[in-house]
Structure formats: C-alpha cells, structure tokens
Amino acid sequence: MARNHLISLADIPDTDLYRLVDRGARFASGAWSDKTLDGAVVGVYFRATSTRTRTAFSSAALRLGARLITYGPHDLQVNTGETTADTGRVLAGMLDALVARTVGGVEELRALASQDRMAVVNAMAAQEHPTQALADLTAMAGHFGDLAGRRVLYMGEGNNTAAALALALPRYPGTELHLRTPKRYALDPEILVRAKDLAAQHGSTIIEQHDTVDMPRNADVVYTTRWQTTGTSKDSPDWREEFVPFRVDEAVMEAGPDAVFMHDLPAHRGDEVTAAVLDGPRSIAFTQAEAKMHSAAAVLEWSLGVLP
C-alpha cells in the first residue's frame, strides 16, 4: 500500500483535493458497502478534546473495516522525553495510519511523518485544520453540487479553520472567499499569500478585511467559528469587544438571500452566532458536522492508497 501524509492542504495537488471531496460526497450519499480498509490498523492520537473529528475518523475507519488503537494525551512516551521522530518510527512498524491532534505546530506532525511506512493525518494543528476544510467542501458539494463560482463570507478569527478553508476553496475556479476578521486576529500572513497565489492560478478571489463595511450581498455561504478555539488564548482581557462586530445574526445573513449558514462547531450561541441563525432553517451546521465522517473516510482511503 502507498502511504500519503495529510499535514497541510498546501501539500495536496488539486486533483487529489477534488477526488477527496468527490469521494466524501459519495459517502454522504450512502456508499459504505466496500470494506476498503479491511485489515488496516489505524491509530487515533488526541492530546486535546474532540467530539466531531475524533468520532468521525473512528467511525469512518470502523465502517471501512479497519481496526482502531486509541491514545490519550498521556499514553505515549513523548511525555517522558522520547523524540517525536522516534515515536513515529516505532508506530510505523505497527500501524498503517495515525490520525493525530496535537494542537501544536505542524512541525511535530511532520516529525511523525518522517518515515514512509505509516500515513499521518493532521486532525488539527495550531496553524491549520485541513480535515475541517475537506468536511466543509464535502458539505458544500452535497448542498450545492458544483463548487465552482461559489461565494463564501467568513466572519471571525483567522484561525486554523479559516487557514484551511483559504487553502482549499480557491482551488475551485471562480470561487470567492471574503474574510472579515478582527485586525489583531487576522489570517496568518503567509497563509494569506499562499491562498492568494492559489486564487490567481484558478481564477478565484480571496479578500480579507477587518471591518463589516460594505458587506457582500451575493454570498452562497456565511461561515463562522468559535471566538475562542481549542488550544488558543487571547492576549487582551478586552478581546471580546473586538469580536462583537463580527457576530453572525439575521442581518449578516442578508449577505445572500439564499445563503446557508455553516459553523465548524461547537458553537456558543450569543457569541459568534445567534441562536436564531444557528438553529434556523438556513443552517446546515449539523449536516456539516456529519460530513466530517464522510470526508474522514475519503481521507483514510487516500492516505492508505486505496481511494477509488
């Protein structure tokens, strides 16, 4: 079996990105009959809390016939000084794939991936949450069909979810990603440069602004995330005041008369989004959450070289 690491979406060719999203959409339509991972052993290593991502990968692996070994934050010898690279080499002799959420930098995941026997999947790092963006695109594909030309308004922190979306959506021709972020909590400048390069290559648009003036009126999707995300902290006691203008309410949903609302969850009603929007008829946030399992199945197949 070939082994493919998913550390950053910037590493993934366009063709593979499209295949992953298409395969996730097929799983969403019920294509679970083939046990494509039969005989594989998948490790699931989470050092931070997770409801959706951990359950999605565990459920997907089991549905596809794989066996699971799970590790908590205190289970591996990296806690006693073993290097991450050595840990990766050891696990590679026993596992076919490792799904890891460290909440540290991607460098740690690349150290785990510094061998060619075990696939490593980034289930969230400080800089990027690639499997979230794949789930997002899978959910959008299920709702809209064709993703080309879709317009997304993202409100809130330029966090790892926003980074992954910025590295994924512009690969689809003619798409528009409008990021509205507080100035001190903007998208990482290096990620933004990469995303703009991708947009230029594909005839897409990505724009980041730090206000809510002249909001777009033709959005297909309005997207937000928690203001305080896993593993992060804010450097100002008054940080919430900077985020209040970026709350998604019914007025913001006027960015598109037919726009749907998306959220990577968990949500804090009354902070980043009102209950009327999250629980309203235009919200597909919980369909989006289920899409994590569908896209996780596609990622596991791709990582182990069996993606149809």
Side-chain angles (χ1 to χ4, degrees):
M1 276 186 193
R3 297 290 187 263
N4 298 306
H5 304 302
L6 176 56
I7 308 300
S8 169
L9 289 172
D11 304 332
I12 306 301
D14 291 350
T15 51
D16 284 3
L17 177 70
Y18 303 151
R19 289 173 64 215
L20 283 163
V21 173
D22 290 347
R23 182 62 169 164
R26 285 189 60 197
F27 280 118
S29 68
W32 290 97
S33 58
D34 295 334
K35 300 298 183 184
T36 52
L37 300 186
D38 188 34
V41 180
V42 175
V44 179
Y45 175 39
F46 276 63
R47 293 212 307 258
T49 56
S50 173
T51 298
R52 279 147 291 275
T53 305
R54 180 170 180 169
T55 306
F57 274 96
S58 299
S59 179
L62 291 169
R63 287 169 184 260
L64 294 176
R67 294 168 177 80
L68 288 180
I69 299 176
T70 62
Y71 308 98
H74 307 296
D75 290 343
L76 298 180
Q77 296 286 11
V78 289
N79 291 292
T80 64
E82 183 173 42
T83 68
T84 303
D86 284 354
T87 299
R89 288 180 66 184
V90 170
L91 293 178
M94 307 176 194
L95 300 175
D96 297 295
L98 179 68
V99 180
R101 170 173 291 190
T102 65
V103 197
V106 294
E107 299 79 12
E108 185 175 6
L109 291 160
R110 293 200 187 280
L112 286 168
S114 60
Q115 42 69 38
D116 59 5
R117 299 175 65 189
M118 175 185 72
V120 175
V121 175
N122 175 2
M124 191 174 78
Q127 300 98 321
E128 186 185 340
H129 195 352
T131 62
Q132 180 63 53
L134 292 171
D136 296 340
L137 295 183
T138 297
M140 290 182 205
H143 186 82
F144 296 110
D146 188 10
L147 294 184
R150 295 297 166 188
R151 297 170 293 276
V152 176
L153 169 62
Y154 176 95
M155 301 281 289
E157 186 175 26
N159 56 19
N160 47 22
T161 290
L165 188 63
L167 292 171
L169 184 68
R171 313 271 194 103
Y172 287 85
T175 53
E176 297 178 17
L177 177 57
H178 297 267
L179 298 157
R180 297 299 178 98
T181 62
K183 190 170 185 179
R184 290 201 304 144
Y185 302 99
L187 195 66
D188 180 282
E190 291 185 12
I191 296 286
L192 185 59
V193 168
R194 277 188 168 185
K196 287 188 173 183
D197 286 344
L198 288 169
Q201 294 168 29
H202 295 84
S204 303
T205 302
I206 181 167
I207 299 171
E208 183 176 42
Q209 294 177 228
H210 306 303
D211 55 49
T212 55
V213 177
D214 296 326
M215 296 284 279
R217 296 297 176 194
N218 58 352
D220 296 300
V221 175
V222 177
Y223 192 143
T224 193
T225 69
R226 280 187 302 170
W227 290 345
Q228 185 73 55
T229 52
T230 302
T232 65
S233 61
K234 302 294 189 292
D235 57 7
S236 167
D238 302 319
W239 65 266
R240 284 183 176 274
E241 296 178 13
E242 299 177 59
F243 278 81
V244 168
F246 300 90
R247 174 180 294 130
V248 176
D249 56 19
E250 289 170 305
V252 171
M253 291 302 295
E254 294 178 7
D258 300 313
V260 297
F261 173 73
M262 295 180 66
H263 192 306
D264 60 356
L265 301 179
H268 288 178
R269 293 168 177 82
D271 279 354
E272 73 275 7
V273 61
T274 62
V277 171
L278 178 64
D279 301 316
R282 297 167 71 181
S283 173
I284 63 168
F286 291 91
T287 299
Q288 176 188 359
E290 186 176 345
K292 275 205 163 183
M293 179 179 67
H294 305 138
S295 63
V299 167
L300 288 170
E301 288 187 330
W302 176 83
S303 296
L304 293 178
V306 296
L307 183 70

